[in-house]
Amino acid sequence: MTVWKDVIGQDQAVATLQAAVADPARMTHAWLLTGPPGSGRSVAARAFAAALECPTGGCGECHECRTVRDLAHADVTVLATEGLSIQVKDARELAGLAQRRPSIGSWRVIIIEDADRLTERAADALLKALEEPVERTVWLLCAPSLEDVIITIRSRTRHVRLRTPPVEAVARLLVERDGIDPQVAADAARAAQSHVGLAKRLATDESARERRRKTLLLAGHIHGLGEAMSAAADLAAIAGEESSASSAERDAAEKARLMAQLGADPGARTQPPHVRSQISALEKEQKTRATRFSRDVIDRSLVDLLSIYRDALVVRAGNTVPLINADLTDEVRQLADGRTSEQLLLAMDTIGTARERIEANVPPLLALEAMAIGLRAPTR
């Protein structure tokens, strides 16, 4: 077993990173790992960090490998923002940290899992650290694509591109790593379109599978304006359900932990000013996190919705490739029979436009309503 065992379907990327571990001449101070959602960018970055700290180059078993994997290594720092963006104060802290020599390992490694969320000011705060690298400090930045990263940052990094892993590789990982039934793993990997994290959730969470099914079935039930408005509201509600299910317990635990740290009485009717201000700051952070998570859930729902129109297009083309939603073959055929290939492509463009609008901070419900109107079944 090595540190690369969970980096699936990325042979070329792994070879590049492993070569840098083995040969100092191939090493550089800053790397940019890009790839579509679910390709394993952060997994690859952490594996690379472990290999750099490991005395044997990434055995996967030693103390260094295990502490990096568990995010407990003193010289490996991971920034994974749960907000809408990475703020300048976070970037300044990392830039300061980069000036320190490693304390126990061979390298000081700084991983930014969402480099595409750096604000312009935050990126400026990192520039000096990237332009004047410190010996034995390495930056590992992750983003969906080169274009998502501010040009001044990406021009100072070495790019490694990851690809979408094969469905079979994702299914095999779920079976070997998580002990999931092979058929369930295969179905989940296909439905998740090779997104490793989502595939695991679909394989282990019945409610997640049901929410996805509800989203897909909307495609065949949008005919009039009223149904379009209802479908948009349903999509927003599905995202809200998932967001609430994910955050409620964690938010309560965070608040209880903060109260304990401050020595405050949770049952008191009023709290001292310093406690109220800390609670207010936490609630603001939780609200920002919930907003991002809700938008991410909506985007994932739109990717799912896009998949059933894609399947309908495949059916019209003569089933040249496997269907993503093989369990909904009847619904896919009904959608294919009711639209021409051009109309299916137009529907897919409409969904893509909605995703772009939400990414540009258009209120999600407004974007979903405009999309649903555009997805109405054509009149014959």
Side-chain angles (χ1 to χ4, degrees):
M1 182 175 71
T2 73
V3 294
W4 306 104
K5 65 182 179 63
D6 290 341
V7 186
I8 58 172
Q10 311 296 345
D11 294 347
Q12 186 173 353
V14 168
T16 298
L17 298 175
Q18 189 63 58
V21 173
D23 182 359
R26 299 189 181 189
M27 189 61 186
T28 188
H29 73 288
W31 299 76
L32 176 58
L33 279 60
T34 67
S39 58
R41 300 185 302 262
S42 61
V43 175
R46 295 183 191 192
F48 188 27
L52 288 170
E53 302 292 5
C54 177
T56 59
C59 68
E61 300 287 354
C62 69
H63 176 73
E64 286 76 9
C65 288
R66 286 186 282 106
T67 53
V68 173
R69 182 185 63 218
D70 297 337
L71 303 182
H73 197 287
D75 293 324
V76 178
T77 301
V78 179
L79 176 62
T81 181
E82 293 182 323
L84 297 175
S85 60
I86 297 174
Q87 301 301 315
V88 65
K89 65 179 182 64
D90 300 314
R92 285 173 178 162
E93 288 177 5
L94 293 180
L97 181 65
Q99 303 306 308
R100 304 178 193 170
R101 293 186 62 83
S103 56
I104 61 173
S106 301
W107 294 86
R108 179 167 296 283
V109 184
I110 300 175
I111 302 173
I112 301 180
E113 292 192 350
D114 301 287
D116 54 307
R117 295 183 185 270
L118 284 163
T119 64
E120 189 168 346
R121 288 186 63 208
D124 288 342
L126 288 183
L127 272 182
K128 184 175 178 61
L130 293 174
E131 289 174 336
E132 301 175 8
V134 176
E135 187 180 4
R136 313 311 293 178
T137 291
V138 59
W139 295 82
L140 308 181
L141 312 182
C142 305
S145 72
L146 277 174
E147 291 70 26
D148 290 319
V149 180
I150 294 173
I151 189 168
T152 51
I153 293 292
R154 69 174 187 251
S155 65
R156 291 162 175 81
T157 61
R158 180 177 174 185
H159 180 218
V160 175
R161 185 170 64 87
L162 279 67
R163 65 189 185 94
T164 300
V167 169
E168 297 77 16
V170 175
R172 185 165 56 251
L173 177 67
L174 296 180
V175 172
E176 296 175 354
R177 185 190 66 185
D178 303 308
I180 294 170
D181 176 79
Q183 187 57 54
V184 173
D187 292 342
R190 185 178 62 252
Q193 300 178 57
S194 294
H195 188 300
V196 178
L198 182 59
K200 181 180 178 180
R201 185 152 59 88
L202 289 175
T204 57
D205 186 347
E206 176 63 33
S207 61
R209 293 195 292 271
E210 182 58 29
R211 282 191 290 268
R212 181 178 185 277
R213 182 179 177 84
K214 286 180 181 178
T215 298
L216 294 171
L217 292 178
L218 288 174
H221 295 87
I222 304 176
H223 299 284
L225 184 60
E227 289 165 322
M229 295 297 98
S230 178
D234 288 345
L235 271 173
I238 290 169
E241 288 173 12
E242 184 145 352
S243 180
S244 297
S246 171
S247 62
E249 186 175 338
R250 179 170 60 173
D251 289 354
E254 286 177 345
K255 185 174 182 180
R257 187 163 56 249
L258 177 62
M259 296 288 280
Q261 290 171 348
L262 297 173
D265 179 8
R269 295 183 62 181
T270 59
Q271 299 289 351
H274 75 283
V275 174
R276 290 200 303 269
S277 66
Q278 293 269 21
I279 293 174
S280 177
L282 175 63
E283 290 175 344
K284 182 179 180 181
E285 181 180 327
Q286 290 174 339
K287 184 177 179 180
T288 300
R289 182 174 66 198
T291 298
R292 175 186 166 181
F293 185 78
S294 179
R295 289 184 180 180
D296 288 346
V297 170
I298 289 174
D299 187 70
R300 187 63 231 180
S301 295
L302 295 184
V303 171
D304 288 334
L305 190 61
L306 193 66
S307 73
I308 197 167
Y309 286 96
R310 173 266 189 197
D311 282 350
L313 194 61
V314 168
V315 168
R316 289 196 64 88
N319 285 19
T320 53
V321 294
L323 300 183
I324 294 171
N325 303 289
D327 56 325
L328 294 175
T329 301
D330 291 342
E331 288 79 1
V332 170
R333 292 190 180 281
Q334 183 178 358
L335 194 62
D337 290 341
R339 299 177 186 245
T340 64
S341 297
E342 290 76 11
Q343 289 167 339
L344 290 170
L345 286 170
L346 182 60
M348 295 171 72
D349 283 343
T350 299
I351 296 171
T353 299
R355 295 180 67 197
E356 292 171 359
R357 287 171 173 168
I358 293 172
E359 179 67 22
N361 289 327
V362 172
L365 183 57
L366 186 62
L368 292 175
E369 288 175 344
M371 177 198 75
I373 291 172
L375 292 180
R376 287 176 297 173
T379 55
R380 291 182 177 270

